[in-house]
Amino acid sequence: MAGAGSIAVLDVGKSNVKLSACDIDGHVVETLSVPNPVLPGPPWRHHDLKALNAWVLAGLAALGSRHPLAHFVASGHGSGGVLVGEDPDAGGDGAVLPMVDYEQPLPDGMAERYAPLAGDFLDRGSAVMMAATHTARQMFWAEEACPAEFARARWCLGIPQYWAWRLTGVAVSEATILGAQSHLWNVARGRWSPIVAARGWGRLMPPFALASDDLGEVRDALVARGVPRMRVHAGVHDSSANFHRYRAAGMEGLCVLSTGTWIVGLADRMDLSRLDEARGMTCNADVAGAPVGGALTMGGREYAAVAGDQAEGGRVDPAALARLVARGTMALPSFGTNDGQFPGTAGKGRIVGPPPEGAAERHALAVLYVALLTLECGNRLDPERPWVLDGSFLRDPAFAALVAALRPGRETRVNAEGYGIAAGAAALCHPDRAMPAPDLTEPLPLPGLPDLTEYAARWRGLAKEAMG
């Protein structure tokens, strides 16, 4: 029947890339993974698209030899635009300029030159964030630094749409990726941000497609190289795919808090006037292009700054956690370059109270710290509605237990399936079919966990003082 067979899902994260074969219900059957390589400049630190292209095409051929792949869909993070030419095969990746690593620092003065061009909050969908974040700012840099190459560009594509173009030759724009702080698309008003017309970038913006749209089959030239002849879909922002995983199962009215390099909170049916760019809030898009409230902070980096070197698979020792709480030891934001919910704190993170002793206490303090950051993200969106926690932080059950303990009397659930992005992306290939609901569970209580009310109130007060 139409749509039968397995689904290949490519998930391009900042640090790692996964290529999975999924069944029709979004369950992952097999996954290949590789680090997302980064090379030094010139002209800037950039992802190695040529190496990644070779890996993806070989991986699709390998998966296709073991699974009846019928569909392909890509997901990717929101701070990665690719300027491409007319030919998807040119140079092995089709790009006319290297894809910027969004953690690459900007040249002196560029942030100041860019800021007046970026429009208002809804034009941007976020605050103006760290380093080379935002596709519009990357384009601004490219146009200034490499005008000849920029003039040769035919399209600017988000990561998922780049891979759809590589496989089919069809270029499209898509709302979830453009709504993920690209600064190019005003989700709330359904129009391009002013910078697009002001800079003459309309020529680089292909027609819109829905994330689920079928763009056609894999090109013959790639089929000849062993890539399966799949139907290719337009593709989706990674966190939006994870959010769609719940909505495709008929679950609405949730606040979904996904954890990893970033803690990303998303909530539908929000009053957009409540979004506060100064407090790490964003205006994202769902797969239909409608606004979704967001809140984010770089939780994975904050955890690493506090935890230091840790053994793989470590879990919080309840006794170590109780000692830290009793002593009043706290990690205060923000250790990295992102302010999160506490504007003005980037690079000012510190530990107050007696310092943690040994790896177990450092790990316990770091998990407690990111639980508090998660609480701030969720509370910004809606403290009352049910919350669902997913992502890599759930590897330590103490994380979910702490978040639940920090919001007593409210519903907190855990989705431990671990492949929400792949499942949500796979659901796009059958948009009229309901997905099975994930198995949501209550967090397991942490033995001996002390009452955190006073600790959390003091932490929040000190974190707010740090904003001054």
Side-chain angles (χ1 to χ4, degrees), residues 87-110:
D87 180 1
D89 293 321
D93 61 8
V96 299
L97 278 167
M99 176 184 158
V100 179
D101 171 6
Y102 71 73
E103 293 186 277
Q104 159 78 57
L106 293 168
D108 290 345
M110 177 155 290

Side-chain angles (χ1 to χ4, degrees), residues 42-422:
W44 40 66
R45 198 167 68 219
H46 56 276
H47 290 280
D48 190 348
L49 279 181
K50 288 185 177 63
L52 199 53
N53 266 270
W55 182 85
V56 169
L57 297 181
L60 286 171
L63 285 180
S65 71
R66 297 188 287 273
H67 306 280
L69 298 178
H71 297 266
F72 172 92
V73 61
S75 65
H77 65 81
S79 287
V82 187
L83 288 162
V84 302
E86 295 278 4
D87 180 1
D89 293 321
D93 61 8
V96 299
L97 278 167
M99 176 184 158
V100 179
D101 171 6
Y102 71 73
E103 293 186 277
Q104 159 78 57
L106 293 168
D108 290 345
M110 177 155 290
E112 293 75 14
R113 293 195 301 279
Y114 172 77
L117 306 174
D120 63 23
F121 170 61
L122 291 178
D123 290 324
R124 300 188 307 271
S126 76
V128 179
M129 295 166 63
M130 62 178 193
T133 307
H134 313 304
T135 304
R137 190 160 55 180
Q138 295 166 12
M139 294 174 70
F140 181 66
W141 185 358
E143 190 173 33
E144 282 200 347
C146 306
E149 292 86 347
F150 190 89
R152 288 195 292 107
R154 179 64 188 94
W155 304 118
C156 178
L157 302 174
I159 290 172
Q161 291 71 52
Y162 165 76
W163 288 103
W165 173 78
R166 277 287 286 129
L167 293 187
T168 66
V170 178
V172 296
S173 298
E174 189 277 325
T176 64
I177 203 74
L178 287 169
Q181 299 80 60
S182 74
H183 288 191
L184 293 167
W185 179 247
N186 187 317
V187 174
R189 299 172 184 137
R191 67 191 189 201
W192 293 109
S193 300
I195 194 170
V196 174
R199 304 293 298 186
W201 293 346
R203 70 176 183 86
L204 299 171
M205 304 301 161
F208 266 86
L210 294 175
S212 58
D213 280 356
D214 182 338
L215 304 186
E217 289 187 335
V218 173
R219 294 182 291 120
D220 290 343
L222 298 181
V223 173
R225 295 170 58 180
V227 177
R229 193 178 291 280
M230 303 169 289
R231 306 300 302 185
V232 178
H233 299 260
V236 64
H237 174 233
D238 50 13
S239 296
S240 303
N242 187 67
F243 189 66
H244 181 62
R245 190 264 173 276
Y246 299 94
R247 298 182 80 186
M251 303 171 69
E252 304 217 3
L254 300 174
C255 176
V256 177
L257 292 152
S258 301
T259 61
T261 301
W262 290 88
I263 299 168
V264 180
L266 293 174
D268 54 7
R269 303 200 300 254
M270 273 198 66
D271 176 1
L272 299 186
S273 69
R274 292 186 52 239
L275 300 180
D276 182 352
E277 63 176 311
R279 305 307 291 265
M281 301 191 76
T282 62
C283 183
N284 289 64
D286 66 14
V287 298
V292 172
L296 49 81
T297 192
M298 220 166 187
R301 300 290 166 82
E302 294 295 297
Y303 167 86
V306 175
D309 293 332
Q310 294 285 334
E312 187 74 22
R315 294 192 172 191
V316 165
D317 175 1
L321 182 64
R323 290 194 299 271
L324 292 166
V325 173
R327 296 199 306 251
T329 300
M330 299 179 178
L332 298 176
S334 298
F335 292 84
T337 55
N338 179 260
D339 286 332
Q341 281 58 59
F342 299 96
T345 64
K348 298 178 182 177
R350 60 194 177 100
I351 293 174
V352 298
E357 299 176 3
E361 288 196 359
R362 291 198 310 274
H363 175 63
L365 181 62
V367 172
L368 177 55
Y369 174 45
V370 294
L372 288 160
L373 294 176
T374 302
L375 186 75
E376 290 296 315
C377 284
N379 282 344
R380 286 283 152 196
L381 293 168
D382 192 331
E384 301 298 332
R385 72 170 75 184
W387 291 7
V388 176
L389 307 176
D390 63 27
S392 61
F393 287 9
L394 298 185
R395 293 170 189 158
D396 189 333
F399 167 74
L402 285 165
V403 174
L406 287 163
R407 56 189 308 259
R410 298 181 174 96
E411 185 179 352
T412 304
R413 292 289 184 266
V414 170
N415 179 10
E417 68 182 8
Y419 49 82
I421 293 173

